[in-house]
Amino acid sequence: MTTPHISAKAGDFAELCLFPGDPLRAKHIAETHLDSAELISDTRNMLAFTGQFRGTPVSVMGSGMGMPSCALYAQELFQHFGVERLVRVGSCGAVSANLNLRDLVVAQGACTDSSMNQKLFGGYDFAAIADYKLLSEFVGYCQKKNQRVAVGNVFSTDSFYHPDKKLESRLEAMNVLALDMEAAALYAVAAIHKKQALAVMTVSDEIRTGNGLSANERQTAFNEMTEMTLESLLVY
């Protein structure tokens, strides 16, 4: 069935769907990493494709930027289109001094300054956590390949330009690894629908130093992360 935001038909999506923020990155994944990929939805230019990775059906769709957009698409994918595993592949800003540009970060849990999850949980704090099976599969793959990976809490913020100038210090004091803008909402929606979700990110910026990857470096790091994510969940 179609929804107000996704024009795909029943059966168009695979059970595993990658979930980058940028719809053009979804198109890039489809063209670069999947075989026989076909466009299945382009409503509001939020592109979605289904193809195959080494013989296994895989979908990819943009989530948009921020938790409201991410939650909207995640809910429709879980509720109406048969998606069982939704994996965010994106970028993050490093908070921890132990992280370097291009490092991989896996969000075991996601703190947030958003009130979205509290509203979903009757005003209480909800522990937004990754699916253990997806998490262990990805981390196990990285260990087998001797790939450096950081696993822990991230902070999903509603504000890219945050007004709290002490935020990074607060996060570092609580051993939060990095900043993103989607993981907490993704994990909450997955919990509601009893589905599996994981957020895998590459460090594109260092918050404290202001250092960041160039556009070409970001794309190279994104390609490497995407290939590892697909291999870990479908091949390893």
Side-chain angles (χ1 to χ4, degrees), residues 11-34:
D12 279 353
F13 278 91
E15 290 188 358
L16 172 62
C17 182
L18 299 189
F19 209 34
D22 187 345
L24 293 181
R25 277 195 168 166
K27 183 175 186 287
H28 176 81
I29 290 172
E31 294 174 344
T32 306
H33 299 278
L34 303 183

Side-chain angles (χ1 to χ4, degrees), residues 69-108:
S69 180
C70 176
L72 181 156
Y73 287 108
Q75 173 151 338
E76 293 187 1
L77 289 171
F78 285 141
Q79 185 171 351
H80 300 294
F81 293 99
V83 171
E84 296 290 329
R85 297 179 289 168
L86 198 51
V87 181
R88 164 165 156 69
V89 284
S91 57
C92 63
V95 173
S96 171
N98 296 321
L99 288 175
N100 301 314
L101 294 175
R102 297 186 66 163
D103 277 353
L104 287 177
V105 173
V106 180
Q108 183 178 19

Side-chain angles (χ1 to χ4, degrees), residues 7 15 54 56 71 77 80 86 96 101 105-106 109 113 124 131 145 147 153 159 162 168 171 201 212 224 236:
S7 55
E15 290 188 358
R54 302 183 190 177
T56 300
L77 289 171
H80 300 294
L86 198 51
S96 171
L101 294 175
V105 173
V106 180
D113 56 5
Y124 299 106
D131 176 77
K145 298 291 185 179
Q147 169 65 50
N153 266 330
S159 302
H162 207 283
E168 289 79 19
L171 299 181
M201 295 165 281
E224 293 170 352
Y236 171 64

Side-chain angles (χ1 to χ4, degrees), residues 89-107 138 142 146-151 154 177-179 199-206 211-213 217-218 220-222 224-226 228-229:
V89 284
S91 57
C92 63
V95 173
S96 171
N98 296 321
L99 288 175
N100 301 314
L101 294 175
R102 297 186 66 163
D103 277 353
L104 287 177
V105 173
V106 180
F138 184 81
C142 290
N146 294 316
Q147 169 65 50
R148 175 183 166 95
V149 60
V151 183
V154 301
L177 298 177
L179 283 160
V200 179
M201 295 165 281
T202 186
V203 174
S204 60
D205 300 276
E206 296 174 349
N211 294 331
L213 298 178
E217 289 171 333
R218 287 171 189 257
T220 299
F222 183 80
E224 293 170 352
M225 176 186 62
T226 299
M228 284 189 286
T229 301

